[in-house]
Amino acid sequence: MATYKLRCNLLGHSKDVRAVAGTPEGHILTASRDNTARLWGPIEDGINYEQKQVYSSHSGYVTSVCVVPGNATHPEGLVVTGSRDSTILAHAVSGGQPVYTLAGHSDTVSSLEWKNGLLISGSWDHSARVWKNWECVQELKGHEGPLWSVVGIPRAGGDVDQHPVSILTASADKLIKLWVEGKVCKTFSGHKDCVRGLAVLNNERFFSCSNDASVILWAISGESLATYYGHTNFIYSICVLGNGGFVTGGEDRTLRVWGSEGNCIQTIHVPAQSVWAVASLPNSDVICGSSDGTCRVFTAAAERQADPSDQKEFEESVANSTMAVGDLGGVKKSELPGREALFAPGKRDGHTIMVREGEKVNCYSWSVASQQWTPVGEVVGGAGGSQGTSGKVLYEGKEYDFVFDVELDEGNRLKLPYNLSEDPYFAAQRFIHKHELPQEFLDQVATFVINNTKGMTLGVEGNSEMADPFTGGSRYVPGNASGSGGGSDPFTGGNRYVPAAARPSTGSGAMVDPFTGASSYSTQGSAFPTSHFFPQRIPLRFEACNASGMTAKLIESNDKLAPEAQLSKEMLEGLVGAVSGTGDTNPQLLAPLEKALQWPAELVWPALDVLRLALRSEPMQKEWLADDRGDALVSLLVTLIQPPSPTTAQLLALRCFANMAAHEPGRCVLTRAMAQVVSATVGISPYPNKNVEIAAATVLLNYSVTLSNIEDQCQILSGASVVAISAKDPEAQFRTLVALGTLLCQSDKCRSFAGSLDLKPVVQSLSNITNPSKVGECAGHVLRLL
């Protein structure tokens, strides 16, 4: 098979290219986080493409795209797009306003396919829908997680006119379902993580790809026929080629071409962290959308390949890119080989090695086609870097801190996966059992693990100095007046949990059997890695009080009202006096506030500021939030958050919700109204200024502290992911990261759900922030949970 090389770059999107599709005429469709989809057509040179049209009617980023062939009504065909705004829009190829708007999904439309006159859509709302003549004719519900991919398979037999296709759906619940005539007739189980993509090979077989880094070939009858490994991280997308082969793209910066026998025959590195989407053109050229906002086209036809200078520029951009050591596994920099390692051939296409070149560590990938090593980037963070920076390595579908190459006396080189939370002897015994090695290798393998992870522990920070994670400075912590900082939680003042693998030795020297001993480490423990940034234990409050300024603004707003709606100056001053002290507020002194909260939206914000301060008081909450009053107040605040309310009203309403979490009465109201509050908070993203960003992030952070129901926590996780994407202010970014960390370290389900939200690339981008350093450092700690 000929080698694929760069054909051209499609430049125009300003953010990640999340979906791509080819048309029968050889045109290309792209969809992006910049809220647009674009149509590209080939130009006369037969190599490059030019932008033909931009479709920009969505209010959220565009997540899926497909083309509808022309008919009598629309001779040129239609471009159909799905978005995070939960709508599907059908556009004329020539652009303009959408011809059709399809509503029905309640969350991101993640996948679209046109098959035999039907439009099939999949959504994060756990459902798929079938549309005929632009109306929904079926809703397919059965999955317990967001849907990531839907495809149709033409049917022969049955009621073909009414149901011309069978439908496959892939979900974050790790399952694939086959639907016939609107009912589930088969469930495919085999992946260990979220199923991200589907590709139909023929009417009898199809492929699936997953976050577990595997591709499975299935028979439509239900059997798993083969499993293919090659990627070292999540696989996001898959498409088939005309020769029976297929192409995949994933989080390991690569596009991989596979032969019809399932062997990886070519690995193409790109200068971007994530290859989000792949598709093929009728001529078997491959389209690739990635996180750097670029769509690239690769071809095996020599006459369509870019000229040598463009090829060289692409190769240099790959070589000059940087990657985290977590992409490759944990090893010591001092033990890495020098350039002499490049004299030996690689074992397979895409085989990667790290080479020490002076003070740098560079990564090289072996190309079977050219029989040479090609540079694919500089490794940053130090080989075998810390937990905060290195992330996880996927091996056979599972996440590990390290994947070592172990060469035993017989000369066998085998993979040894290891997590820092494990007892080295436990990992060694598992390795020996898997490879059927003699038991006398146990000490040798365990010693190898211990020697290569010296000084690396889970949950222990190198700096014991206590710092407030929200200000960066030292602060008083009740119960720890000595200021020693020895292992004290800066949020609660109590000692924090340190996983067993990180605890210092007792010094007794007693050997405990890691497999049968009563005090042995158990991999089934419920604790998750913690950080000095999270979990947050206490809700945050907005405490600042400028009494004179508040009084002046109340009087100013009051003077603009009709006389019958005004309050006396004494009443206004009494309101400020009641909330400006440090003690509990007397609810009786706030009776005039109820009238002030009914002021018009453009004038009400000073009254909201009084309410914000009053909600710090537990007696005030007990009085004002009792019975139906709490629900009525929530409805008022939600209304003031939603457009067209002025920014000042939105800001103060969000701050009121944040302070409502200070005491139990407010927490009960917030829990009851969680869906309503979170929807309003997230719904106005992107936010008008940094103060609103911080307020929104604080509302979600406080929810992460107070909620205990797993389903509710997952909803907060989803909302926090939206704020993490849109927030520009460092403090808002930091508080959102603390919320994410607090949720992720509480349950497996939150961590699994995070995988379906594409959180990892968002957090990785925040981990690059160095000013203030707490943002990047906290992001690094969140990454180890993803």
Side-chain angles (χ1 to χ4, degrees):
M1 187 176 181
T3 302
Y4 277 84
K5 292 187 177 181
L6 180 72
R7 175 176 174 178
C8 61
N9 298 316
L10 309 186
L11 304 175
H13 287 293
S14 59
K15 295 183 179 179
D16 304 42
V17 177
R18 295 304 306 270
V20 296
T23 74
E25 300 78 25
H27 288 65
I28 293 173
L29 290 166
T30 57
S32 170
R33 283 195 184 195
D34 65 9
N35 293 11
T36 72
R38 298 172 190 243
L39 175 67
W40 311 77
I43 62 177
E44 293 181 358
D45 66 4
I47 297 175
N48 291 293
Y49 278 74
E50 65 180 358
Q51 182 176 291
K52 296 289 189 180
Q53 195 57 251
V54 179
Y55 309 96
S56 55
S57 297
H58 282 293
S59 60
Y61 63 77
V62 187
T63 48
S64 50
V65 65
C66 73
V67 63
V68 176
N71 56 23
T73 307
H74 304 287
E76 292 185 333
L78 296 170
V79 173
V80 183
T81 55
S83 168
R84 189 148 191 176
D85 64 17
S86 77
T87 65
I88 301 168
L89 302 180
H91 314 259
V93 171
S94 56
Q97 292 300 308
V99 180
Y100 302 105
T101 298
L102 308 185
H105 285 298
S106 59
D107 208 332
T108 300
V109 181
S110 54
S111 181
L112 290 169
E113 172 148 305
W114 180 268
K115 184 70 69 174
N116 285 16
L118 298 178
L119 179 67
I120 311 166
S121 61
S123 169
W124 287 4
D125 65 9
H126 302 193
S127 76
R129 288 177 178 248
V130 182
W131 311 78
K132 186 175 183 179
N133 297 326
W134 309 106
E135 293 185 356
C136 182
V137 295
Q138 278 181 358
E139 184 176 16
L140 310 180
K141 288 188 172 182
H143 284 287
E144 295 182 359
L147 268 62
W148 277 103
S149 184
V150 294
V151 294
I153 302 177
R155 293 185 63 212
D159 189 354
V160 177
D161 291 336
Q162 183 67 25
H163 302 281
V165 296
S166 300
I167 295 170
L168 288 166
T169 56
S171 169
D173 63 10
K174 309 176 188 177
L175 301 176
I176 302 162
K177 293 183 182 290
L178 174 66
W179 306 75
V180 178
E181 299 183 5
K183 297 179 180 178
V184 177
C185 73
K186 199 168 297 295
T187 297
F188 303 80
S189 176
H191 283 295
K192 301 177 181 68
D193 204 338
C194 170
V195 187
R196 298 297 289 262
L198 298 169
V200 176
L201 184 59
N202 53 47
N203 283 6
E204 302 297 327
R205 297 183 176 190
F206 68 92
F207 294 104
S208 62
C209 65
S210 166
N211 278 7
D212 65 13
S214 73
V215 173
I216 298 180
L217 173 63
W218 303 89
I220 200 71
S221 55
E223 297 84 12
S224 171
L225 303 177
T227 301
Y228 309 119
Y229 292 102
H231 284 276
T232 59
N233 213 318
F234 301 161
I235 306 177
Y236 292 131
S237 184
I238 185 168
C239 68
V240 296
L241 298 173
N243 60 5
F246 59 98
V247 177
T248 54
E251 183 66 12
D252 59 1
R253 303 169 177 261
T254 69
L255 177 79
R256 296 182 188 242
V257 183
W258 306 73
S260 57
E261 300 299 318
N263 55 318
C264 182
I265 58 179
Q266 187 179 356
T267 301
I268 303 172
H269 292 262
V270 299
Q273 179 63 50
S274 309
V275 178
W276 289 121
V278 295
S280 61
L281 290 168
N283 59 11
S284 290
D285 285 4
V286 175
I287 314 163
C288 155
S290 54
S291 56
D292 61 355
T294 301
C295 176
R296 297 176 176 86
V297 185
F298 296 91
T299 182
E303 67 273 14
R304 292 196 297 274
Q305 291 173 354
D307 62 48
S309 62
D310 289 339
Q311 296 282 359
K312 182 179 180 182
E313 182 179 349
F314 171 70
E315 292 167 1
E316 289 176 347
S317 68
V318 172
N320 292 332
S321 62
T322 59
M323 62 183 66
V325 72
D327 294 339
L328 299 167
V331 291
K332 286 185 173 182
K333 181 177 178 180
S334 61
E335 296 178 359
L336 290 172
R339 288 189 60 84
E340 67 276 3
L342 303 178
F343 297 140
K347 296 180 176 63
R348 65 190 180 282
D349 193 87
H351 176 203
T352 54
I353 61 172
M354 288 186 285
V355 175
R356 182 169 32 84
E357 298 181 86
E359 293 301 313
K360 292 184 177 181
V361 175
N362 291 317
C363 182
Y364 288 81
S365 177
W366 178 254
S367 170
V368 170
S370 62
Q371 288 293 298
Q372 64 181 8
W373 294 99
T374 57
V376 294
E378 179 186 352
V379 181
V380 296
S386 70
Q387 270 290 305
T389 59
S390 67
K392 292 282 187 179
V393 187
L394 280 178
Y395 174 65
E396 293 186 349
K398 295 183 179 180
E399 290 185 338
Y400 296 94
D401 295 312
F402 299 91
V403 177
F404 296 111
D405 280 326
V406 178
E407 187 162 359
L408 302 177
D409 291 342
E410 293 104 348
N412 297 325
R413 184 175 287 271
L414 304 171
K415 295 290 186 182
L416 193 167
Y418 174 69
N419 279 317
L420 287 169
S421 59
E422 294 182 286
D423 187 296
Y425 279 86
F426 186 97
Q429 188 67 59
R430 181 184 59 218
F431 174 79
I432 286 171
H433 282 164
K434 177 178 180 178
H435 297 290
E436 299 180 349
L437 300 173
Q439 189 64 29
E440 56 262 29
F441 279 119
L442 178 63
D443 285 339
Q444 182 180 345
V445 175
T447 300
F448 174 89
V449 173
I450 293 168
N451 288 340
N452 281 278
T453 58
K454 280 181 178 177
M456 300 178 191
T457 54
L458 188 64
V460 176
E461 306 303 322
N463 183 4
S464 63
E465 180 181 345
M466 289 176 52
D468 182 344
F470 292 102
T471 66
S474 298
R475 67 167 181 172
Y476 168 72
V477 179
N480 189 32
S482 66
S484 66
S488 178
D489 186 331
F491 291 92
T492 66
N495 291 329
R496 64 175 178 164
Y497 172 77
V498 179
R503 292 180 189 142
S505 169
T506 62
S508 67
M511 292 285 291
V512 179
D513 184 344
F515 312 110
T516 63
S519 60
S520 63
Y521 179 84
S522 169
T523 59
Q524 303 302 315
S526 61
F528 293 97
T530 55
S531 159
H532 63 280
F533 294 114
F534 52 77
Q536 173 77 350
R537 304 294 189 190
I538 302 171
L540 301 183
R541 297 188 293 186
F542 290 93
E543 299 274 12
C545 176
N546 180 351
S548 59
M550 193 183 309
T551 302
K553 288 298 181 182
L554 280 169
I555 293 172
E556 182 181 322
S557 290
N558 190 61
D559 289 345
K560 295 178 181 179
L561 298 169
E564 62 273 14
Q566 291 182 356
L567 297 172
S568 69
K569 183 177 179 182
E570 291 74 18
M571 286 181 175
L572 298 177
E573 291 175 344
L575 288 176
V576 176
V579 299
S580 57
T582 57
D584 283 330
T585 301
N586 183 347
Q588 305 307 317
L589 299 177
L590 292 174
L593 182 57
E594 289 196 68
K595 186 175 181 180
L597 289 173
Q598 304 306 314
W599 291 352
E602 65 273 13
L603 300 176
V604 76
W605 70 267
L608 290 174
D609 211 17
V610 173
L611 177 65
R612 167 186 68 87
L613 293 171
L615 287 168
R616 300 176 302 170
S617 164
E618 189 169 11
M620 162 64 182
Q621 287 197 2
K622 287 179 178 179
E623 175 78 18
W624 272 57
L625 302 180
D627 302 322
D628 295 336
R629 297 185 72 186
D631 295 335
L633 183 58
V634 167
S635 297
L636 172 66
L637 294 176
V638 166
T639 301
L640 291 171
I641 290 173
Q642 295 169 336
S645 291
T647 300
T648 47
Q650 292 175 323
L651 171 65
L652 271 301
L654 286 169
R655 287 181 174 177
C656 287
F657 276 136
N659 283 8
M660 203 179 285
H663 303 288
E664 191 60 29
R667 293 171 194 172
C668 291
V669 171
L670 287 172
T671 300
R672 195 164 60 242
M674 186 270 298
Q676 191 180 2
V677 175
V678 173
S679 177
T681 302
V682 175
I684 60 171
S685 170
Y687 301 98
N689 60 46
K690 69 176 186 179
N691 291 327
V692 181
E693 284 185 351
I694 293 170
T698 306
V699 171
L700 297 177
L701 174 55
N702 285 353
Y703 264 125
S704 77
V705 175
T706 60
L707 290 177
S708 57
N709 179 277
I710 294 297
E711 298 300 328
D712 291 345
Q713 290 174 338
C714 286
Q715 187 163 343
I716 301 304
L717 198 65
S718 179
S721 72
V722 175
V723 179
I725 291 169
S726 64
K728 300 294 186 292
D729 178 76
E731 187 61 34
Q733 292 169 335
F734 179 70
R735 295 190 183 198
T736 305
L737 287 167
V738 174
L740 292 173
T742 298
L743 293 165
L744 291 172
C745 70
Q746 292 188 56
S747 76
D748 272 322
K749 186 163 185 178
C750 278
R751 297 172 78 178
S752 177
F753 183 66
S756 72
L757 294 175
D758 287 338
L759 266 178
K760 190 172 182 179
V762 177
V763 178
Q764 280 177 325
S765 67
L766 294 175
S767 69
N768 296 322
I769 295 175
T770 58
N771 186 20
S773 61
K774 67 179 182 180
V775 175
E777 291 172 6
C778 187
H781 287 249
V782 173
L783 279 176
R784 77 185 189 193
L785 296 170
L786 294 174

